[in-house]
Structure formats: structure tokens, C-alpha cells
Amino acid sequence: MAQVTDHGGGVRSVRVPIPDNPLGHTLVYVVDTDRGPVLIDTGWDDPGSWSVLAEGLAACGTSVAEIHGVVITHHHPDHHGLSGRVREASGAWIAMHAADTAIVRRTRDTRPGRWYAYMTAKLTAAGAPEEHIAPLRTPRPRTGLPGLSPALPDREIVPGELLDLPGRRLRAIWTPGHTPGHVCLHLEEQHPGRLTGNGRLFSGDHLLPEITPHIGLYEDPDDATVTDPLGDYLDSLERVGRLAPAEVLPAHQYVFPDAAARVRELLAHHESRLTDLRALLIEPLTPWQLAERMEWNRPWAQIPYASRNIAVSEAEAHLRRLVKLGRAEAVAGSDPVTYVAV
Ligand SMILES: [Zn+2]
Ligand SMILES: [Zn+2]
């Protein structure tokens, strides 16, 4: 049975399940327009999830065939997975920020061998032990790479511009950090329950009521730029805090009112995490060694293989921020590179 919630003012959500994932589901928002419903995100590409989406749209009094357009907050498979099927069934356009579209294009074009070579080089540079890297040298074909052929969007979301939603005012706010092209969507209309505040904000994974989104390195085999995803994320948090929406409609969990309070919590969380990590850097550590010593939701020995890659990426994002703030530096001549507090 599809679970549909009416948020008022021509906005509903369908809880689309994410199979075998503790997150549980993606909230796919259905926004009425003069030309038919527009979806914000589509959910995981799985037959069961597809049926739930179709049932949910029926419960909203519409159908997949009626969808006018699809606005994607970011390229992750729990958000963009079903976009291709929706477009096939309806002829809807798909819109995404150019930085995430570039990742989609690369995922479609990169042969798995190239990807494994990139991951091997990256993990070696981060100081990963040989037993962690070895499986990448003899990978089973096409394992652990979800969404190998995600749909290529046909429209670009331009930050600051209104999207093409006839009869509605939906503006794109660029919020890089979780991914380089993550966007929040600001519905610049009075709250239907007359809550005070500046419209409503579809926040994707940028702002969630009880989850701290993963911030790791942007993964791009073709780009050698030293990016600062955590710095981007913290700036993006302040941007949506200043917007002061009456209500936040996130892509997971539940709707909540006070964006500014949640932004303050997340800023404080990252500040204390950076302080803790700097304290660990009294001795020089590789990113891998730092990840082993950081606090996670379980002991390092119990963290599965793929999650360790994510953890190291998160450690590196924090190291980049500390270096940029002048609170840590790379030890000259170290290989793999180690970092120490300054
Ligand atoms: Zn995500
Ligand atoms: Zn997500």
C-alpha cells in the first residue's frame, strides 16, 4: 500500500521504499502545476519501488503518464533512480544541476576497469592497507556500482532561476556539499496553513531532521581540482538558514518547521567534529589512520568494506577543511601523505 501525505497547497508526497537500506524510503514530492504534476525526485530503481510510486500517484488522482516534469535534487540513486522510467512512461523532462549531470554522464561513460583503477589510486594515496586495496585489482564485474546507467537529464537547473512549473513559483537554490550539484527547491508561495516564514523548502538530502548527511570527497576520475566539499556544505547550510522557510520538506524522514535551528545544530556538530579530529592529529596520520580513529556509529572493525571507503572519504573531506582553515597541514615528503595539527 502506497503511503501518501497531503502537505496542502497542491503538494503531496509518496513514500517510495529503498530496498535493503536503513534509510527506509525516499519522499517523492508531487507538485501540481497547470500542465500536470511535477515530481521532485523519483526514488530507487527497483520493481517494488516503481509499483509503490505508481500506486501513490493513483492515490493522488493522477498517473505516471500524466507527469509533466521531474526535478532532481541530486544524482544519488535513491533520488534519480526511477527518473528514466518516469520519462519513458510520460515524456516528462528531467532537470538537474550541471555539476551532477556531469557525474551522471561520467557514470554512463566510465568503464568499470577505469573506475577500479581510480579507486585503487585514491585509496593507496589515502594510506589504505594492502588487504583493503587487493580486491579492487581483481574485481568481479559490475559489483558494488549501483545505477550504472542512470538517465541523462534533458534540462539544466540554473541556480537562482525559477523552474518551468506553470502556475507555480519554484526557485533553485544551489547547495553543494553532499554532492557538487545538489540543489534545494524553494516554493515561493504562502504556506497553506499560514505558518509564518518564507515559503517552503524542498531540501533533498541537504537538510534532514535527524540525519547528518554524508560529506565526502567529490569523486571524479577526470578532475584533479582540490575541492573542499565540507566547506561548500557549511556555506550551503548558512544559505538555507538565511532563507528562513516556514517549513522544510526533506527527501527522507519527515517534514519539520525550524530550518534555522536545524542549521545551527549541524554547524555546531561539524565544528565539534573538526575540533575532535584536530586533537587526533597530535601525531601525523594518513586519512585512513584518521578514519580508523574517528567516531562512527560502530567500531571500525565492524564497519563493512564499502562503508570504510565512504568513511575515508569523509575523513579526507574534514582534513581538507582543517588544512584550509590553517588548523592542520600535510607533512612534507610523507608518502602516503600524513597530516598533523598546527
Ligand atoms: Zn544523497
Ligand atoms: Zn538520499
Side-chain angles (χ1 to χ4, degrees):
M1 267 289 284
Q3 286 176 286
V4 174
T5 305
D6 191 342
H7 302 282
V11 176
R12 278 165 289 205
S13 61
V14 181
R15 287 163 63 98
V16 176
I18 312 171
D20 305 319
N21 188 300
L23 264 182
H25 60 266
T26 305
L27 294 171
V28 171
Y29 290 96
V30 185
V31 181
D32 294 339
T33 81
D34 294 344
R35 298 275 299 277
V38 166
L39 300 184
I40 297 182
D41 291 336
T42 54
W44 190 271
D45 185 7
D46 175 81
S49 311
W50 172 250
S51 311
V52 171
L53 178 62
E55 284 165 29
L57 291 170
C60 293
T62 182
S63 71
V64 179
E66 299 300 311
I67 301 301
H68 173 62
V70 172
V71 179
I72 297 298
T73 59
H74 66 297
H75 74 87
H76 286 163
D78 52 325
H79 299 260
H80 181 47
L82 286 171
S83 306
R85 289 193 73 169
V86 170
R87 179 166 59 191
E88 247 168 61
S90 62
W93 45 261
I94 302 172
M96 187 183 276
H97 186 281
D100 270 33
T101 296
I103 294 173
V104 168
R105 186 168 289 120
R106 205 158 46 236
T107 305
R108 293 166 60 95
D109 294 348
T110 303
R111 283 175 296 108
R114 169 110 206 275
W115 178 257
Y116 288 116
Y118 166 67
M119 286 301 291
T120 301
K122 216 164 83 106
L123 285 163
T124 304
E130 174 56 27
E131 71 261 25
H132 185 85
I133 297 168
L136 292 169
R137 297 206 177 91
T138 48
R140 283 177 295 146
R142 304 209 152 196
T143 50
L145 291 173
L148 266 172
S149 200
L152 202 56
D154 35 53
R155 289 195 182 182
E156 182 180 337
I157 296 178
V158 180
E161 286 192 0
L162 286 173
L163 281 110
D164 178 23
L165 267 63
R168 310 293 309 234
R169 285 184 66 84
L170 188 69
R171 196 180 299 278
I173 315 286
W174 187 28
T175 50
H178 180 59
T179 68
H182 191 291
V183 292
C184 292
L185 289 315
H186 188 210
L187 191 60
E188 299 176 338
E189 299 169 6
Q190 191 174 46
H191 187 275
R194 305 206 167 260
L195 280 183
T196 49
N198 180 16
R200 289 188 277 179
L201 187 75
F202 299 100
S203 64
D205 280 357
H206 180 57
L207 199 59
L208 298 164
E210 292 176 27
I211 295 169
T212 306
H214 165 67
I215 310 295
L217 296 188
Y218 303 142
E219 284 174 345
D220 183 350
D222 301 323
D223 191 352
T225 314
V226 179
T227 53
D228 176 18
L230 183 55
D232 291 346
Y233 179 66
L234 298 174
D235 288 348
S236 299
L237 276 181
E238 294 192 2
R239 191 169 307 146
V240 300
R242 281 195 298 272
L243 208 58
E247 201 167 50
V248 180
L249 298 99
H252 305 288
Q253 301 189 305
Y254 50 85
V255 169
F256 62 101
D258 194 346
R262 183 63 183 137
V263 164
R264 281 194 299 275
E265 273 176 18
L266 286 164
L267 290 173
H269 163 81
H270 283 289
E271 183 50 42
S272 79
R273 194 144 207 224
L274 285 169
T275 302
D276 291 349
L277 297 197
R278 187 176 174 276
L280 293 172
L281 295 174
I282 41 165
E283 53 171 335
L285 297 175
T286 63
W288 183 273
Q289 290 168 329
L290 180 63
E292 285 177 325
R293 288 161 177 76
M294 281 166 74
E295 256 184 62
W296 303 105
N297 59 1
R298 61 199 127 171
W300 183 256
Q302 287 167 29
I303 296 180
Y305 184 89
S307 303
R308 288 187 180 192
N309 293 341
I310 293 170
V312 173
S313 184
E314 197 155 319
E316 290 199 87
H318 282 79
L319 281 169
R320 293 240 181 121
R321 185 91 280 258
L322 285 171
V323 169
K324 204 140 193 189
L325 292 169
R327 290 157 71 180
E329 65 186 17
V331 175
S334 55
D335 181 24
V337 64
T338 57
Y339 294 85
V340 69
V342 288

